[in-house]
Structures are given as structure tokens and as C-alpha cells.
Amino acid sequence: MPAAAILFSEEQIQSRVADLGRAIARDYAGRSPVLVTMLKGAVVFLADLFRAIDLPVRVDFMSISSYGSDSEASGGVVRILKDLDQDIGGEDVIVVEDIIDTGLTISYLLATLRARQPASLEVCALLDKTVRRILPVEIKYRGFECPDRFVVGYGLDHEERYRNLPLIVAVDDQTALTDDPDLLAPLLAARNAEKVEKTGERTPS
Ligand code: 5GP
């Protein structure tokens, strides 16, 4: 039985990230925005995104964890495990997220950041699972619409695996992956979309 299907290839991601970088550079011309990045999932996206922004951007990192098993169970209330190093008061802030699902986590986070009185506050998310949204979120810079599937790769993990996959795959059978977290290891061995595509769009289980 197949385990995962390619959702976004490395080329598609790189091209979209370049578009987002250009859009941000255009909108923030003459300014120096702070890219507030959520650890750990968004770091791969950040690494490509901020090199595509032709401005003196700054970066800062935040690490949060949901109370309870997931954001839905916790109602989006998060605990800050690592706060920003810099004061964002008066700064142009762009929150860089890997994926927005129910919108609960980002909504809580935006309220927290807004209370620090930045000059402006926007969201840049690589993936947007609109179909799962509970709280509305205004995403100014959006990479791709994401289907209601569990995805890994390009920073997104399952039990800390697959963040270093340069493409994004949708998992066909989440139960099988839960039973065997290394199920998609052949994808890591292939390391790039072309090699994966040569062996077919789907990986053997
Ligand atoms: P939200 O509060 O919007 O429901 O939660 C967003 C967070 O859920 C993301 O930052 C990510 O950690 C996690 N998440 C949601 N969907 C997926 C998915 O398909 N794959 C992975 N790896 N994480 C996901």
C-alpha cells in the first residue's frame, strides 16, 4: 500500500517562496521588518524566504507549545517556551508560520504580539488549510492552499522526522505512520523530488 504522495515539489516550493520574498520586499521597501519565526517547523521556510527578501530584514524566534494534546484541545492557548530576544514595540513584524490549520495557535500568538504594540503585524504562512479553520486569520502572504491531509517535509515533522525533506508530501495512512514513524524514510534517502518522481509519485510502504 502506498504511504505518501508528493503534494508540492521542491521546484514548486522554491518558486513560490521566491514570489513571497519579492512581494514582501516590494511592500516593505525602505523598511526593515522583523521576521518572527515559530520554532521549529517554520525554520526551513524562513531560511529560504529571508534570502529571497532584498531588504535588511531581521529575524527572531519563538517557541510555543499547546496546553493539552493539540491546539483544538487547548482552544489555542499556548505556553511560550522561548520568547523573542528583541522588543518588537514600534517594529514592522511579519510572523512566519509553516502551516495554519484551525487558526487557534496563530490567533493566540497574534494577540500576544499585538499587545507589545508593533508598528504593523502581518502573517506569512507557507501552507493554509482553510478547510479546517475555526478562527478566521488574515494571511497577507500565503504560499499554498493545503488540502485536509496530514503533511510532512520542508520543516514539517512527524515525531521530529522529515523536516529535512526538501518537498512536501501528504501522508496517506496516518495510522501506519503512527505505528512506524520511519515509514517514509525511503523519501529521505531519495533526498530530492526528481529522484522520488523517477520511482513514481508514490513511495512503497
Ligand atoms: P492550528 O492552531 O492552526 O490548528 O495549528 C497549527 C499547527 O499545527 C502548525 O504549526 C503545525 O505544528 C501543526 N499542524 C497542523 N497541520 C499539520 C500537518 O498537516 N502536518 C504537520 N506536520 N503539522 C501540522
Side-chain angles (χ1 to χ4, degrees):
M1 196 180 66
I6 295 172
L7 198 56
F8 302 110
S9 70
E10 191 172 0
E11 290 74 19
Q12 282 175 298
I13 296 169
Q14 293 303 327
S15 148
R16 193 71 195 111
V17 172
D19 292 343
L20 294 174
R22 272 193 297 272
I24 291 172
R26 183 194 60 220
D27 294 351
Y28 289 82
R31 292 186 279 167
S32 170
V34 182
L35 303 180
V36 166
T37 303
M38 304 317 296
L39 295 172
K40 305 173 192 167
V43 293
V44 176
F45 178 36
L46 171 82
D48 287 335
L49 179 72
F50 92 132
R51 285 178 294 173
I53 304 173
D54 195 6
L55 292 176
V57 288
R58 291 163 289 162
V59 293
D60 208 340
F61 299 92
M62 234 175 149
S63 177
I64 58 172
S65 90
S66 296
Y67 285 106
S69 54
D70 58 29
S71 56
E72 250 175 293
S74 66
V77 177
V78 297
R79 196 156 45 106
I80 296 175
L81 301 177
K82 184 223 166 286
D83 207 337
L84 300 175
D85 292 334
Q86 51 193 290
D87 178 11
I88 55 162
E91 302 285 358
D92 291 306
V93 172
I94 304 171
V95 179
V96 178
E97 261 287 20
D98 47 6
I99 184 165
I100 297 181
D101 186 24
T102 62
L104 292 168
T105 311
I106 189 84
S107 298
Y108 184 87
L109 195 70
L110 288 173
T112 304
L113 296 177
R114 207 170 281 121
R116 301 178 187 184
Q117 301 185 311
S120 64
L121 183 61
E122 301 290 355
V123 176
C124 177
L126 182 68
L127 300 177
D128 184 8
K129 267 191 194 171
T130 47
V131 65
R132 298 244 318 147
R133 197 61 33 83
I134 292 174
L135 280 181
V137 183
E138 199 189 316
I139 305 172
K140 182 151 187 191
Y141 305 99
R142 185 176 93 136
F144 302 100
E145 170 76 36
C146 183
D148 187 10
R149 307 273 301 277
F150 184 74
V151 299
V152 296
Y154 199 70
L156 287 150
D157 76 314
H158 171 72
E159 294 194 12
E160 294 299 328
R161 291 152 172 92
Y162 312 118
R163 294 191 196 278
N164 54 335
L165 201 59
L167 65 164
I168 295 173
V169 300
V171 177
D172 287 331
D173 185 347
Q174 247 183 289
T175 311
L177 188 62
T178 304
D179 291 345
D180 176 11
D182 290 311
L183 187 68
L184 305 180
L187 281 176
L188 286 170
R191 289 297 300 184
N192 68 58
E194 259 175 41
K195 281 187 199 159
V196 174
E197 271 158 11
K198 271 185 205 150
T199 61
E201 283 244 323
R202 290 168 172 269
T203 58
S205 60

